[in-house]
Amino acid sequence: MEISANYILAIETSCDETSAAVVSFDRQIRSNVVLSQDLIHAPFGGVVPELASRQHLKTILPVVEEALRRSELKLQDIAAFAVTQGPGLIGSLLVGVCFAKALAYYYHRPLIGIDHLQAHIESVFLSHRDIPFPSLALIVSGGHTSLFYLPERLKYRLLGRTRDDAAGEALDKVAKFLGLGYPGGPIIERLAEGGFARAFAFAIPRMKDNSLDFSFSGLKTAALKLIKDEEITASHAQLKDFLASFESAIVESLLFNLSQALSIYKAEAILLCGGVARNRRLRSCFLELGKEKGVKAYLPLPEYCTDNAAMVGALAAEIIRLNKPIASPLDLDAYARFKPD
Amino acid sequence: MKKKPLLFISNSEEETIAIARNLAESWEGKEIAFLYGELGAGKTVFARGLAAGLGVRDIYEVCSPSFALVNIYYGRFPIYHVDLFRLDRREDIIDLGWEDWIGQGVIIVEWAEKIDFDLGMPIFKIEIKVGQKGEREIYFSLKESDNL
């Protein structure tokens, strides 16, 4: 085992998942522990941590210990700490931030605050090292739908965001309304398989002001109206077609903005990330768009789409490698929405 | 004695925003609004109007907090925009941090029917119903705290 202290311990608690990872300065992932509702087993007595910050308080220590154990390293071997600062649920973020601050203070190590959306973008770089710039990155998850312009490595410019619901949220809500379960995205994907995506017509929202912002509230409301008018239920004969049509409308709406951005900004590549980037329809249409527009299209591995600390550690490693300034670590604060300028 | 709720009819998102903006313009910074209505009724749109009335400049900053549970905006006062959609357990709802918000700013709550405890403040109750032709009936009433 190497003694040289070239490892980062990264912590991510922006929402439901408590995650810790050990990542080397050269971006090798030594461990990546994600405690989500599905993965809870014996040590936690099967208790499902709800998203409340108090639950992170209970799980953060065992998760960090497990990440260290799997990496075969001790806290003394850690050269720097990294933590998600935001955006996210503020109470949850604060648990990770305070925990990481305490470690950095005690071990006299630097603490690197990481933006959650930038970390999602970094998940694409985990498996692709040669992504050309400038590029465009689309982040789609249960809580976020944002489009960024990346002029060069570690430079991010927000082009568009959702004005109401996130894309994943619209899927969740329609699934819940039909009593299909939670989270809605994967359930809808499974039930929509083989469905005829043109069976039900959805109007794809367009921004009146030529903005690259997203809106999914209208699609959600249209879906709920169709459910009522057509009396669609979980056992309806056309459920498959309905879900395929709805999922397809969400995908089309997401990629429409990306396509618009491509016609405005010169970009060599497009990136897709976030939890909804696991959706097969979105993945395949995204790759198709890349081909059609003649730009390279990059996706993260499915296991790095949902929230995880490995992407946080990888971004911290890149920040260290490029000698970016690390601002006053112990004043680091969490933020709920977009990264303050 | 129960007062009859006031009724407003809205035929568009813009009208809903205008109704909410008018309501919140005179607020003094400690009000609590409970929003009721089915999925897609327009609760977030109404919240956007309240935020506009409270001086939030970029009203598109106001978006659904279903996932994040609470969004905080800054107008003339802090605005805590809470959404209980995906919370079902009482302790999770109590745990959200109400004590940090009450009296510090305006609190707007979507899916407020999930709150079964008293916040110790008067509550503006706003119920949005979808009418036959897609118009929205917005019922407005004020409920005093049980503890006052």
Side-chain angles (χ1 to χ4, degrees):
Chain A
M1 195 185 73
E2 306 92 309
I3 309 293
S4 60
N6 283 329
Y7 293 99
I8 298 162
L9 175 70
I11 293 171
E12 149 71 38
T13 60
S14 66
C15 199
D16 291 13
E17 274 94 4
T18 315
S19 180
V22 175
V23 180
S24 69
F25 278 17
D26 58 359
R27 301 165 65 82
Q28 299 301 314
I29 296 160
R30 291 282 293 235
S31 65
N32 180 37
V33 177
V34 183
L35 186 74
S36 67
Q37 300 189 0
D38 329 331
L39 293 178
I40 298 159
H41 291 304
F44 306 98
V47 179
V48 174
E50 261 304 340
L51 31 156
S53 49
R54 276 181 208 187
Q55 296 297 336
H56 280 297
L57 278 176
K58 290 182 193 154
T59 53
I60 189 154
L61 187 60
V63 166
V64 167
E65 282 175 338
E66 182 62 15
L68 285 166
R69 195 187 65 76
R70 289 190 197 173
S71 73
E72 299 177 350
L73 292 165
K74 294 193 162 40
L75 278 171
Q76 294 89 313
D77 305 321
I78 299 299
F81 295 92
V83 66
T84 308
Q85 258 184 294
L89 175 55
I90 196 81
S92 298
L93 287 163
L94 281 170
V95 174
V97 166
C98 293
F99 196 89
K101 267 188 193 179
L103 287 173
Y105 182 73
Y106 185 81
Y107 288 97
H108 300 285
R109 296 283 191 252
L111 174 61
I112 303 163
I114 296 294
D115 180 87
H116 182 60
L117 299 179
Q118 294 175 3
H120 268 303
I121 294 172
E122 195 65 24
S123 71
V124 188
F125 288 85
L126 274 174
S127 38
H128 306 281
R129 297 197 154 215
D130 48 356
I131 297 174
F133 291 93
S135 49
L136 294 167
L138 176 61
I139 303 165
V140 193
S141 71
H144 306 284
T145 308
S146 301
L147 181 59
F148 281 88
Y149 176 71
L150 315 176
E152 58 182 90
R153 195 73 170 108
L154 300 192
K155 285 263 199 300
Y156 311 87
R157 202 169 111 210
L158 182 67
L159 298 182
R161 57 180 181 176
T162 182
R163 287 187 176 181
D164 36 59
D165 295 11
E169 182 180 340
L171 291 163
D172 284 343
K173 285 185 171 170
V174 167
K176 179 153 181 173
F177 193 78
L178 284 166
L180 303 175
Y182 177 89
I187 295 169
I188 288 180
E189 174 169 17
R190 184 164 48 78
L191 294 175
E193 212 173 307
F196 178 48
R198 299 261 167 261
F200 294 84
F202 285 94
I204 305 303
R206 301 277 185 264
M207 289 296 145
K208 288 170 195 153
D209 49 6
N210 285 328
S211 140
L212 290 168
D213 281 348
F214 299 88
S215 169
F216 293 97
S217 173
L219 278 178
K220 173 191 73 184
T221 307
L224 297 175
K225 190 169 183 306
L226 270 173
I227 290 170
K228 280 184 211 158
D229 294 352
E230 308 282 329
E231 294 175 356
I232 292 168
T233 60
S235 54
H236 193 274
Q238 271 194 295
L239 180 73
K240 190 186 282 289
D241 294 340
F242 173 75
L243 294 178
S245 304
F246 180 58
E247 189 187 57
S248 172
I250 299 265
V251 167
E252 203 180 314
S253 173
L254 284 166
L255 296 182
F256 176 79
N257 282 29
L258 184 56
S259 169
Q260 287 294 100
L262 273 173
S263 60
I264 302 168
Y265 297 89
K266 195 178 104 59
E268 305 272 325
I270 50 176
L271 285 62
L272 176 68
C273 54
V276 182
R278 293 177 80 132
N279 180 283
R280 284 193 301 274
R281 191 186 303 271
L282 179 57
R283 286 174 92 92
S284 78
C285 293
F286 169 79
L287 294 173
E288 203 56 44
L289 178 71
K291 263 190 222 157
E292 186 190 308
K293 300 280 180 184
V295 294
K296 292 191 169 168
Y298 297 95
L299 289 159
L301 294 173
E303 65 260 40
Y304 295 125
C305 287
T306 40
D307 292 350
N308 67 86
M311 63 189 190
V312 177
L315 180 52
E318 195 63 15
I319 288 171
I320 292 170
R321 190 179 74 81
L322 293 176
N323 277 321
K324 296 278 171 188
I326 299 163
S328 52
L330 292 184
D331 297 336
L332 193 96
D333 209 355
Y335 52 87
R337 306 295 299 283
F338 288 102
K339 191 178 168 75
D341 290 327
Chain B
M1 215 173 57
K2 223 181 155 195
K3 269 197 225 159
K4 236 179 125 183
L6 279 173
L7 170 62
F8 298 89
I9 303 285
S10 163
N11 290 301
S12 66
E13 278 194 31
E14 289 73 20
E15 284 183 31
T16 299
I17 287 174
I19 292 165
R21 190 200 297 122
N22 285 338
L23 173 65
E25 262 166 0
S26 59
W27 283 6
E28 291 168 352
K30 293 181 181 179
E31 288 78 2
I32 301 178
F34 280 8
L35 308 187
Y36 307 87
E38 59 181 351
L39 265 180
K43 296 181 292 301
T44 303
V45 172
F46 196 89
R48 176 172 291 164
L50 291 177
L54 293 166
V56 171
R57 288 226 181 129
D58 176 10
I59 61 165
Y60 293 120
E61 200 193 331
V62 179
C63 60
S64 169
S66 292
F67 196 76
L69 305 181
V70 55
N71 291 341
I72 305 172
Y73 322 111
Y74 296 91
R76 296 196 300 281
F77 330 99
I79 300 158
Y80 305 95
H81 183 192
V82 185
D83 188 330
L84 305 178
F85 178 73
R86 64 190 198 117
L87 292 187
D88 287 315
R89 298 194 313 181
R90 189 170 191 266
E91 64 252 50
D92 290 328
I93 294 173
I94 292 174
D95 264 5
L96 274 174
W98 302 94
E99 61 280 10
D100 296 339
W101 308 329
I102 292 170
Q104 302 300 312
V106 170
I107 305 175
I108 303 169
V109 188
E110 299 195 30
W111 300 98
E113 53 271 48
K114 295 190 178 188
I115 296 183
D116 63 354
F117 45 91
D118 190 78
L119 292 177
M121 297 277 279
I123 305 290
F124 289 90
K125 297 180 98 170
I126 293 127
E127 188 178 359
I128 309 175
K129 287 185 178 163
V130 183
Q132 292 295 326
K133 292 174 195 135
E135 81 282 11
R136 301 298 196 265
E137 296 171 359
I138 302 172
Y139 293 90
F140 170 73
S141 59
L142 183 66
K143 180 186 172 292
E144 294 297 335
S145 162
D146 300 337
N147 291 343
L148 284 182

